[in-house]
Amino acid sequence: MSRSAVSNAPPESFSAPQRPLRRLTLELFGVIALKIAVLMLIWWAVFAPQPKPDVSPAAIAQRLAPSPPTPPEAHP
């Protein structure tokens, strides 16, 4: 009996649930986009202001150069 009830249903009743699914999809995409925006804002606030290291050849040479010898009178 239930087969005849399903087969007699009008075709527009099957397409009715698509509207709430479309709305749910848009809401989920909105929530995901909002979360991505918040995470990007947090990343920018925490990590972006960090100073960049000086990678010029002169700075690297200065860091790798041997330390100057201490004068003998500095040591007792």
Side-chain angles (χ1 to χ4, degrees):
M1 265 195 159
S2 63
R3 292 181 116 195
S4 63
V6 171
S7 64
N8 290 338
E12 58 269 354
S13 67
F14 291 117
S15 63
Q18 289 178 345
R19 203 67 166 143
L21 289 178
R22 185 177 299 159
R23 181 178 176 208
L24 178 64
T25 304
L26 290 175
E27 288 178 4
L28 287 175
F29 277 122
V31 168
I32 290 170
L34 183 64
K35 284 183 178 184
I36 289 172
V38 168
L39 288 174
M40 287 175 61
L41 182 66
I42 290 171
W43 178 87
W44 182 80
V46 174
F47 296 110
Q50 299 298 323
K52 305 289 185 228
D54 187 10
V55 292
S56 66
I60 293 174
Q62 183 181 5
R63 303 242 331 145
L64 295 177
S67 60
T70 56
E73 61 271 358
H75 292 284

